Amino acid sequence: MPELPEVETIKNELLPHIVGRRVNGVTLFWEGIVHQPSAREFCSRLIGQRLIGLARRGKYLIFSLTSGEVLVIHLKMTGSLLLKPALAEADKFVRAVICLDNGTEIHFRDPRKLGAVWLVEDNNSIVGRLGPEPLEAGFTPQLLAQRLANRTAPIKALLSDQTFIAGIGNMYADEALFAAGVHPLRSGGSLSSEEVERLHSTIQQVLWSAISNKGASVENYFRPDGTLGTAHFQFQVAHRLGGKLCPVCDTPIERIAVRHRGSYFCPECQPQP
Ligand SMILES: [Zn+2]
């Protein structure tokens, strides 16, 4: 599923093609993708507006519009936003097409139909409960320590909880924990201040590195031009199954379920709690 680095890449690569453009038309091939308002109202309110900005919050894309409303998009497990020339053929997984006045079309492709769009006046109803952004200045080791204090939940579950910290999912939580030498089942409150500092820095490192590699294409993630990201080639443990060895100590990588999510780790480098 697209996580912070993938959504950030999509934002960066869409931005020059869409900002300042007017929405000339909207086609919905699957109305269920619109969560708010009704599909009909969504189209009529969006058409004619100009896209004046695009931002990311957690795994959400937020397009600001001339009316003051915002178009919010979540790609969930398998969504991508593809830039296409006017009248490009939509493949069978494209659920919505937004046509812009420069002839560009944005195709929302989503094989598993889990993605969502909203058109709202205030995006707080959607992103208001998200935790801090891990790459912003306000996210300090002290803040991470405060948020972890007394937490009994496994650190892996906390890192992928969007209300605890925004934008991290399964892949980058596994990578950050491996780099910090912290077992995924350690309780949040059990980390020493040294471990918290290390984890703070590995979180930022794995996210920046993945952004510079334009995201990880392990499932259905595509960049807006249809090409793949290469961040998964840097993965040390995430998605490395089938007898793959730890790149540091050569121990076979293991996979356990943490709150029903597969978690990859090295049993030597990340000692048991
Ligand atoms: Zn190891």
Side-chain angles (χ1 to χ4, degrees):
M1 99 126 71
E3 301 180 22
L4 186 154
E6 289 74 36
V7 181
E8 179 73 11
T9 301
I10 293 168
K11 182 207 79 183
N12 292 340
E13 296 187 347
L14 280 180
L15 207 85
H17 300 275
I18 63 131
V19 167
R21 305 317 338 167
R22 204 177 78 106
V23 176
N24 274 359
V26 180
T27 306
L28 296 176
F29 294 103
W30 181 62
E31 293 192 349
I33 204 161
V34 179
H35 284 216
Q36 201 185 329
S38 68
R40 196 171 166 177
E41 204 182 326
F42 175 84
C43 297
S44 68
R45 269 162 60 184
L46 189 53
I47 291 169
Q49 298 220 44
R50 237 171 242 289
L51 305 173
I52 55 175
L54 173 56
R56 180 194 55 75
R57 176 80 172 96
K59 303 177 192 172
Y60 293 84
L61 288 162
I62 301 170
F63 299 74
S64 30
L65 306 169
T66 29
S67 64
E69 294 170 296
V70 286
L71 167 67
V72 182
I73 296 184
H74 198 301
L75 300 167
K76 292 288 172 75
M77 295 293 284
T78 61
S80 46
L81 295 176
L82 301 171
L83 284 169
K84 298 279 189 180
L87 304 174
E89 203 180 323
D91 77 45
K92 65 173 179 176
F93 295 125
V94 172
R95 311 303 175 193
V97 173
I98 297 175
C99 305
L100 305 178
D101 64 353
N102 57 351
T104 302
E105 296 182 354
I106 304 170
H107 287 210
F108 192 163
R109 186 176 186 275
D110 186 21
R112 288 181 60 184
K113 287 187 172 176
L114 297 166
V117 304
W118 298 260
L119 183 62
V120 290
E121 278 169 24
D122 177 4
N123 63 32
N124 263 327
S125 58
I126 298 156
V127 299
R129 290 185 61 245
L130 292 178
E133 283 291 327
L135 296 180
E136 282 185 3
F139 180 68
T140 58
Q142 294 72 26
L143 180 68
L144 181 59
Q146 275 166 28
R147 295 181 74 79
L148 286 171
N150 305 318
R151 295 297 299 258
T152 54
I155 183 69
K156 168 67 188 282
L158 290 171
L159 290 184
S160 31
D161 173 351
Q162 300 305 297
T163 64
F164 181 82
I165 182 169
I168 299 175
N170 222 19
M171 302 185 290
Y172 297 106
D174 283 355
E175 287 297 298
L177 288 171
F178 170 76
V182 174
H183 192 284
L185 283 175
R186 293 273 304 278
S187 68
S190 76
L191 272 65
S192 68
S193 51
E194 221 169 68
E195 287 172 320
V196 173
E197 266 192 42
R198 214 154 62 212
L199 181 60
H200 174 269
S201 113
T202 63
I203 287 171
Q204 295 194 326
Q205 275 163 27
V206 299
L207 295 176
W208 280 124
S209 156
I211 291 170
S212 68
N213 288 296
K214 314 295 181 195
S217 288
V218 288
E219 253 182 273
N220 282 277
Y221 164 70
F222 297 97
R223 294 161 61 186
D225 65 1
T227 60
L228 302 176
T230 58
H232 50 293
F233 296 125
Q234 314 294 323
F235 284 173
Q236 307 285 293
V237 291
H239 294 279
R240 291 175 60 81
L241 258 195
K244 294 262 176 35
L245 303 179
C246 168
V248 173
C249 72
D250 279 346
T251 303
I253 290 163
E254 291 184 12
R255 181 180 183 270
I256 51 168
V258 179
R259 303 254 168 105
H260 310 293
R261 317 262 327 253
S263 300
Y264 299 84
F265 70 104
C266 170
E268 278 298 316
C269 297
Q270 296 164 270
Q272 286 282 346

PDB file of all heavy atoms in Angstrom, residues 224-252:
ATOM      1  N   PRO A 224       2.918   8.889 -11.193  1.00  0.00           N
ATOM      2  CA  PRO A 224       1.898   9.438 -12.094  1.00  0.00           C
ATOM      3  C   PRO A 224       2.193   9.213 -13.583  1.00  0.00           C
ATOM      4  O   PRO A 224       1.277   9.155 -14.397  1.00  0.00           O
ATOM      5  CB  PRO A 224       1.883  10.931 -11.753  1.00  0.00           C
ATOM      6  CG  PRO A 224       2.300  10.968 -10.317  1.00  0.00           C
ATOM      7  CD  PRO A 224       3.325   9.874 -10.176  1.00  0.00           C
ATOM      8  N   ASP A 225       3.465   9.043 -13.943  1.00  0.00           N
ATOM      9  CA  ASP A 225       3.759   8.775 -15.357  1.00  0.00           C
ATOM     10  C   ASP A 225       3.690   7.286 -15.690  1.00  0.00           C
ATOM     11  O   ASP A 225       4.044   6.877 -16.796  1.00  0.00           O
ATOM     12  CB  ASP A 225       5.132   9.354 -15.744  1.00  0.00           C
ATOM     13  CG  ASP A 225       6.283   8.672 -15.008  1.00  0.00           C
ATOM     14  OD1 ASP A 225       6.030   7.739 -14.201  1.00  0.00           O
ATOM     15  OD2 ASP A 225       7.440   9.058 -15.239  1.00  0.00           O
ATOM     16  N   GLY A 226       3.266   6.473 -14.726  1.00  0.00           N
ATOM     17  CA  GLY A 226       3.088   5.048 -14.977  1.00  0.00           C
ATOM     18  C   GLY A 226       4.330   4.212 -14.689  1.00  0.00           C
ATOM     19  O   GLY A 226       4.289   2.991 -14.775  1.00  0.00           O
ATOM     20  N   THR A 227       5.439   4.862 -14.332  1.00  0.00           N
ATOM     21  CA  THR A 227       6.658   4.097 -14.036  1.00  0.00           C
ATOM     22  C   THR A 227       6.660   3.656 -12.573  1.00  0.00           C
ATOM     23  O   THR A 227       5.825   4.099 -11.774  1.00  0.00           O
ATOM     24  CB  THR A 227       7.931   4.926 -14.319  1.00  0.00           C
ATOM     25  OG1 THR A 227       7.914   6.094 -13.495  1.00  0.00           O
ATOM     26  CG2 THR A 227       8.002   5.336 -15.785  1.00  0.00           C
ATOM     27  N   LEU A 228       7.604   2.787 -12.227  1.00  0.00           N
ATOM     28  CA  LEU A 228       7.689   2.248 -10.877  1.00  0.00           C
ATOM     29  C   LEU A 228       8.696   3.025 -10.039  1.00  0.00           C
ATOM     30  O   LEU A 228       9.639   3.608 -10.581  1.00  0.00           O
ATOM     31  CB  LEU A 228       8.132   0.777 -10.930  1.00  0.00           C
ATOM     32  CG  LEU A 228       7.238  -0.165 -11.744  1.00  0.00           C
ATOM     33  CD1 LEU A 228       7.841  -1.563 -11.787  1.00  0.00           C
ATOM     34  CD2 LEU A 228       5.826  -0.221 -11.159  1.00  0.00           C
ATOM     35  N   GLY A 229       8.520   2.988  -8.723  1.00  0.00           N
ATOM     36  CA  GLY A 229       9.542   3.502  -7.821  1.00  0.00           C
ATOM     37  C   GLY A 229      10.597   2.428  -7.594  1.00  0.00           C
ATOM     38  O   GLY A 229      10.391   1.264  -7.960  1.00  0.00           O
ATOM     39  N   THR A 230      11.723   2.805  -6.992  1.00  0.00           N
ATOM     40  CA  THR A 230      12.788   1.827  -6.777  1.00  0.00           C
ATOM     41  C   THR A 230      13.168   1.675  -5.302  1.00  0.00           C
ATOM     42  O   THR A 230      14.164   1.046  -4.983  1.00  0.00           O
ATOM     43  CB  THR A 230      14.055   2.215  -7.576  1.00  0.00           C
ATOM     44  OG1 THR A 230      14.457   3.532  -7.165  1.00  0.00           O
ATOM     45  CG2 THR A 230      13.788   2.214  -9.069  1.00  0.00           C
ATOM     46  N   ALA A 231      12.363   2.254  -4.400  1.00  0.00           N
ATOM     47  CA  ALA A 231      12.725   2.227  -2.973  1.00  0.00           C
ATOM     48  C   ALA A 231      12.788   0.800  -2.417  1.00  0.00           C
ATOM     49  O   ALA A 231      13.538   0.537  -1.479  1.00  0.00           O
ATOM     50  CB  ALA A 231      11.746   3.072  -2.160  1.00  0.00           C
ATOM     51  N   HIS A 232      12.010  -0.114  -2.982  1.00  0.00           N
ATOM     52  CA  HIS A 232      12.003  -1.482  -2.435  1.00  0.00           C
ATOM     53  C   HIS A 232      13.351  -2.187  -2.643  1.00  0.00           C
ATOM     54  O   HIS A 232      13.659  -3.135  -1.946  1.00  0.00           O
ATOM     55  CB  HIS A 232      10.863  -2.314  -3.025  1.00  0.00           C
ATOM     56  CG  HIS A 232      10.783  -2.279  -4.515  1.00  0.00           C
ATOM     57  ND1 HIS A 232      10.452  -1.131  -5.205  1.00  0.00           N
ATOM     58  CD2 HIS A 232      11.003  -3.223  -5.452  1.00  0.00           C
ATOM     59  CE1 HIS A 232      10.463  -1.387  -6.503  1.00  0.00           C
ATOM     60  NE2 HIS A 232      10.796  -2.646  -6.677  1.00  0.00           N
ATOM     61  N   PHE A 233      14.150  -1.712  -3.597  1.00  0.00           N
ATOM     62  CA  PHE A 233      15.480  -2.325  -3.769  1.00  0.00           C
ATOM     63  C   PHE A 233      16.392  -2.014  -2.586  1.00  0.00           C
ATOM     64  O   PHE A 233      17.415  -2.663  -2.409  1.00  0.00           O
ATOM     65  CB  PHE A 233      16.126  -1.862  -5.083  1.00  0.00           C
ATOM     66  CG  PHE A 233      15.373  -2.309  -6.306  1.00  0.00           C
ATOM     67  CD1 PHE A 233      14.948  -1.389  -7.251  1.00  0.00           C
ATOM     68  CD2 PHE A 233      15.071  -3.655  -6.505  1.00  0.00           C
ATOM     69  CE1 PHE A 233      14.242  -1.808  -8.384  1.00  0.00           C
ATOM     70  CE2 PHE A 233      14.375  -4.077  -7.631  1.00  0.00           C
ATOM     71  CZ  PHE A 233      13.949  -3.144  -8.569  1.00  0.00           C
ATOM     72  N   GLN A 234      16.026  -0.991  -1.802  1.00  0.00           N
ATOM     73  CA  GLN A 234      16.831  -0.641  -0.624  1.00  0.00           C
ATOM     74  C   GLN A 234      16.346  -1.374   0.632  1.00  0.00           C
ATOM     75  O   GLN A 234      16.972  -1.254   1.685  1.00  0.00           O
ATOM     76  CB  GLN A 234      16.749   0.875  -0.339  1.00  0.00           C
ATOM     77  CG  GLN A 234      16.928   1.779  -1.540  1.00  0.00           C
ATOM     78  CD  GLN A 234      18.321   1.678  -2.113  1.00  0.00           C
ATOM     79  OE1 GLN A 234      19.283   1.537  -1.378  1.00  0.00           O
ATOM     80  NE2 GLN A 234      18.428   1.709  -3.433  1.00  0.00           N
ATOM     81  N   PHE A 235      15.227  -2.087   0.548  1.00  0.00           N
ATOM     82  CA  PHE A 235      14.690  -2.701   1.767  1.00  0.00           C
ATOM     83  C   PHE A 235      15.666  -3.710   2.350  1.00  0.00           C
ATOM     84  O   PHE A 235      16.247  -4.522   1.634  1.00  0.00           O
ATOM     85  CB  PHE A 235      13.350  -3.393   1.479  1.00  0.00           C
ATOM     86  CG  PHE A 235      12.190  -2.442   1.339  1.00  0.00           C
ATOM     87  CD1 PHE A 235      10.936  -2.913   0.941  1.00  0.00           C
ATOM     88  CD2 PHE A 235      12.324  -1.085   1.620  1.00  0.00           C
ATOM     89  CE1 PHE A 235       9.859  -2.048   0.813  1.00  0.00           C
ATOM     90  CE2 PHE A 235      11.245  -0.223   1.504  1.00  0.00           C
ATOM     91  CZ  PHE A 235      10.008  -0.709   1.095  1.00  0.00           C
ATOM     92  N   GLN A 236      15.836  -3.635   3.671  1.00  0.00           N
ATOM     93  CA  GLN A 236      16.719  -4.558   4.374  1.00  0.00           C
ATOM     94  C   GLN A 236      15.960  -5.795   4.856  1.00  0.00           C
ATOM     95  O   GLN A 236      16.485  -6.888   4.834  1.00  0.00           O
ATOM     96  CB  GLN A 236      17.343  -3.852   5.590  1.00  0.00           C
ATOM     97  CG  GLN A 236      18.017  -2.538   5.259  1.00  0.00           C
ATOM     98  CD  GLN A 236      19.355  -2.750   4.575  1.00  0.00           C
ATOM     99  OE1 GLN A 236      20.292  -3.249   5.173  1.00  0.00           O
ATOM    100  NE2 GLN A 236      19.429  -2.405   3.304  1.00  0.00           N
ATOM    101  N   VAL A 237      14.719  -5.588   5.316  1.00  0.00           N
ATOM    102  CA  VAL A 237      13.931  -6.721   5.821  1.00  0.00           C
ATOM    103  C   VAL A 237      12.534  -6.781   5.225  1.00  0.00           C
ATOM    104  O   VAL A 237      12.003  -7.877   5.000  1.00  0.00           O
ATOM    105  CB  VAL A 237      13.819  -6.707   7.379  1.00  0.00           C
ATOM    106  CG1 VAL A 237      15.157  -7.014   8.021  1.00  0.00           C
ATOM    107  CG2 VAL A 237      13.251  -5.393   7.900  1.00  0.00           C
ATOM    108  N   ALA A 238      11.903  -5.641   4.983  1.00  0.00           N
ATOM    109  CA  ALA A 238      10.496  -5.624   4.571  1.00  0.00           C
ATOM    110  C   ALA A 238      10.295  -6.431   3.283  1.00  0.00           C
ATOM    111  O   ALA A 238      11.041  -6.272   2.326  1.00  0.00           O
ATOM    112  CB  ALA A 238      10.025  -4.184   4.352  1.00  0.00           C
ATOM    113  N   HIS A 239       9.313  -7.315   3.323  1.00  0.00           N
ATOM    114  CA  HIS A 239       8.959  -8.127   2.160  1.00  0.00           C
ATOM    115  C   HIS A 239      10.088  -9.035   1.686  1.00  0.00           C
ATOM    116  O   HIS A 239      10.072  -9.495   0.555  1.00  0.00           O
ATOM    117  CB  HIS A 239       8.479  -7.246   0.986  1.00  0.00           C
ATOM    118  CG  HIS A 239       7.191  -6.553   1.295  1.00  0.00           C
ATOM    119  ND1 HIS A 239       5.969  -7.188   1.181  1.00  0.00           N
ATOM    120  CD2 HIS A 239       6.942  -5.311   1.744  1.00  0.00           C
ATOM    121  CE1 HIS A 239       5.028  -6.345   1.540  1.00  0.00           C
ATOM    122  NE2 HIS A 239       5.584  -5.193   1.890  1.00  0.00           N
ATOM    123  N   ARG A 240      11.074  -9.282   2.547  1.00  0.00           N
ATOM    124  CA  ARG A 240      12.172 -10.168   2.133  1.00  0.00           C
ATOM    125  C   ARG A 240      11.957 -11.550   2.753  1.00  0.00           C
ATOM    126  O   ARG A 240      12.394 -11.824   3.848  1.00  0.00           O
ATOM    127  CB  ARG A 240      13.524  -9.575   2.532  1.00  0.00           C
ATOM    128  CG  ARG A 240      13.843  -8.334   1.717  1.00  0.00           C
ATOM    129  CD  ARG A 240      15.117  -7.682   2.190  1.00  0.00           C
ATOM    130  NE  ARG A 240      16.263  -8.568   2.077  1.00  0.00           N
ATOM    131  CZ  ARG A 240      16.931  -8.777   0.939  1.00  0.00           C
ATOM    132  NH1 ARG A 240      16.582  -8.171  -0.161  1.00  0.00           N
ATOM    133  NH2 ARG A 240      17.955  -9.591   0.909  1.00  0.00           N
ATOM    134  N   LEU A 241      11.284 -12.381   2.036  1.00  0.00           N
ATOM    135  CA  LEU A 241      10.943 -13.714   2.544  1.00  0.00           C
ATOM    136  C   LEU A 241      11.714 -14.788   1.801  1.00  0.00           C
ATOM    137  O   LEU A 241      12.499 -14.501   0.909  1.00  0.00           O
ATOM    138  CB  LEU A 241       9.443 -13.956   2.348  1.00  0.00           C
ATOM    139  CG  LEU A 241       8.570 -13.793   3.588  1.00  0.00           C
ATOM    140  CD1 LEU A 241       7.221 -14.420   3.329  1.00  0.00           C
ATOM    141  CD2 LEU A 241       9.208 -14.437   4.824  1.00  0.00           C
ATOM    142  N   GLY A 242      11.465 -16.024   2.187  1.00  0.00           N
ATOM    143  CA  GLY A 242      12.014 -17.161   1.455  1.00  0.00           C
ATOM    144  C   GLY A 242      13.495 -17.353   1.718  1.00  0.00           C
ATOM    145  O   GLY A 242      14.292 -17.454   0.786  1.00  0.00           O
ATOM    146  N   GLY A 243      13.869 -17.362   3.007  1.00  0.00           N
ATOM    147  CA  GLY A 243      15.271 -17.657   3.349  1.00  0.00           C
ATOM    148  C   GLY A 243      16.223 -16.508   3.102  1.00  0.00           C
ATOM    149  O   GLY A 243      17.434 -16.700   3.117  1.00  0.00           O
ATOM    150  N   LYS A 244      15.697 -15.291   2.879  1.00  0.00           N
ATOM    151  CA  LYS A 244      16.595 -14.138   2.703  1.00  0.00           C
ATOM    152  C   LYS A 244      17.336 -13.889   4.017  1.00  0.00           C
ATOM    153  O   LYS A 244      16.784 -14.084   5.102  1.00  0.00           O
ATOM    154  CB  LYS A 244      15.792 -12.894   2.313  1.00  0.00           C
ATOM    155  CG  LYS A 244      15.149 -13.028   0.932  1.00  0.00           C
ATOM    156  CD  LYS A 244      16.007 -12.349  -0.104  1.00  0.00           C
ATOM    157  CE  LYS A 244      15.521 -12.507  -1.537  1.00  0.00           C
ATOM    158  NZ  LYS A 244      14.112 -12.526  -1.755  1.00  0.00           N
ATOM    159  N   LEU A 245      18.576 -13.473   3.891  1.00  0.00           N
ATOM    160  CA  LEU A 245      19.399 -13.299   5.092  1.00  0.00           C
ATOM    161  C   LEU A 245      19.503 -11.826   5.471  1.00  0.00           C
ATOM    162  O   LEU A 245      19.454 -10.941   4.616  1.00  0.00           O
ATOM    163  CB  LEU A 245      20.799 -13.850   4.832  1.00  0.00           C
ATOM    164  CG  LEU A 245      20.853 -15.319   4.399  1.00  0.00           C
ATOM    165  CD1 LEU A 245      22.297 -15.752   4.152  1.00  0.00           C
ATOM    166  CD2 LEU A 245      20.199 -16.229   5.444  1.00  0.00           C
ATOM    167  N   CYS A 246      19.651 -11.617   6.788  1.00  0.00           N
ATOM    168  CA  CYS A 246      19.854 -10.260   7.280  1.00  0.00           C
ATOM    169  C   CYS A 246      21.130  -9.695   6.647  1.00  0.00           C
ATOM    170  O   CYS A 246      22.178 -10.331   6.675  1.00  0.00           O
ATOM    171  CB  CYS A 246      19.990 -10.292   8.801  1.00  0.00           C
ATOM    172  SG  CYS A 246      20.595  -8.734   9.475  1.00  0.00           S
ATOM    173  N   PRO A 247      21.069  -8.498   6.078  1.00  0.00           N
ATOM    174  CA  PRO A 247      22.248  -7.922   5.425  1.00  0.00           C
ATOM    175  C   PRO A 247      23.358  -7.561   6.411  1.00  0.00           C
ATOM    176  O   PRO A 247      24.496  -7.364   6.009  1.00  0.00           O
ATOM    177  CB  PRO A 247      21.699  -6.661   4.737  1.00  0.00           C
ATOM    178  CG  PRO A 247      20.404  -6.362   5.409  1.00  0.00           C
ATOM    179  CD  PRO A 247      19.877  -7.645   5.968  1.00  0.00           C
ATOM    180  N   VAL A 248      23.046  -7.530   7.707  1.00  0.00           N
ATOM    181  CA  VAL A 248      24.065  -7.176   8.696  1.00  0.00           C
ATOM    182  C   VAL A 248      24.739  -8.428   9.262  1.00  0.00           C
ATOM    183  O   VAL A 248      25.958  -8.488   9.381  1.00  0.00           O
ATOM    184  CB  VAL A 248      23.446  -6.338   9.845  1.00  0.00           C
ATOM    185  CG1 VAL A 248      24.457  -6.102  10.960  1.00  0.00           C
ATOM    186  CG2 VAL A 248      22.903  -5.026   9.304  1.00  0.00           C
ATOM    187  N   CYS A 249      23.937  -9.471   9.627  1.00  0.00           N
ATOM    188  CA  CYS A 249      24.516 -10.600  10.373  1.00  0.00           C
ATOM    189  C   CYS A 249      24.263 -11.952   9.713  1.00  0.00           C
ATOM    190  O   CYS A 249      24.625 -12.983  10.284  1.00  0.00           O
ATOM    191  CB  CYS A 249      23.972 -10.609  11.797  1.00  0.00           C
ATOM    192  SG  CYS A 249      22.246 -11.121  11.889  1.00  0.00           S
ATOM    193  N   ASP A 250      23.610 -11.984   8.552  1.00  0.00           N
ATOM    194  CA  ASP A 250      23.386 -13.241   7.819  1.00  0.00           C
ATOM    195  C   ASP A 250      22.399 -14.213   8.467  1.00  0.00           C
ATOM    196  O   ASP A 250      22.288 -15.350   8.028  1.00  0.00           O
ATOM    197  CB  ASP A 250      24.707 -13.981   7.551  1.00  0.00           C
ATOM    198  CG  ASP A 250      25.430 -13.405   6.347  1.00  0.00           C
ATOM    199  OD1 ASP A 250      24.798 -12.637   5.597  1.00  0.00           O
ATOM    200  OD2 ASP A 250      26.623 -13.724   6.166  1.00  0.00           O
ATOM    201  N   THR A 251      21.705 -13.790   9.496  1.00  0.00           N
ATOM    202  CA  THR A 251      20.661 -14.642  10.090  1.00  0.00           C
ATOM    203  C   THR A 251      19.424 -14.584   9.179  1.00  0.00           C
ATOM    204  O   THR A 251      19.113 -13.524   8.639  1.00  0.00           O
ATOM    205  CB  THR A 251      20.279 -14.085  11.486  1.00  0.00           C
ATOM    206  OG1 THR A 251      21.453 -14.018  12.281  1.00  0.00           O
ATOM    207  CG2 THR A 251      19.242 -14.950  12.192  1.00  0.00           C
ATOM    208  N   PRO A 252      18.724 -15.732   8.987  1.00  0.00           N
ATOM    209  CA  PRO A 252      17.504 -15.669   8.161  1.00  0.00           C
ATOM    210  C   PRO A 252      16.473 -14.691   8.747  1.00  0.00           C
ATOM    211  O   PRO A 252      16.229 -14.687   9.950  1.00  0.00           O
ATOM    212  CB  PRO A 252      16.969 -17.102   8.190  1.00  0.00           C
ATOM    213  CG  PRO A 252      18.155 -17.950   8.527  1.00  0.00           C
ATOM    214  CD  PRO A 252      19.031 -17.106   9.408  1.00  0.00           C
TER     215      PRO A 252
END
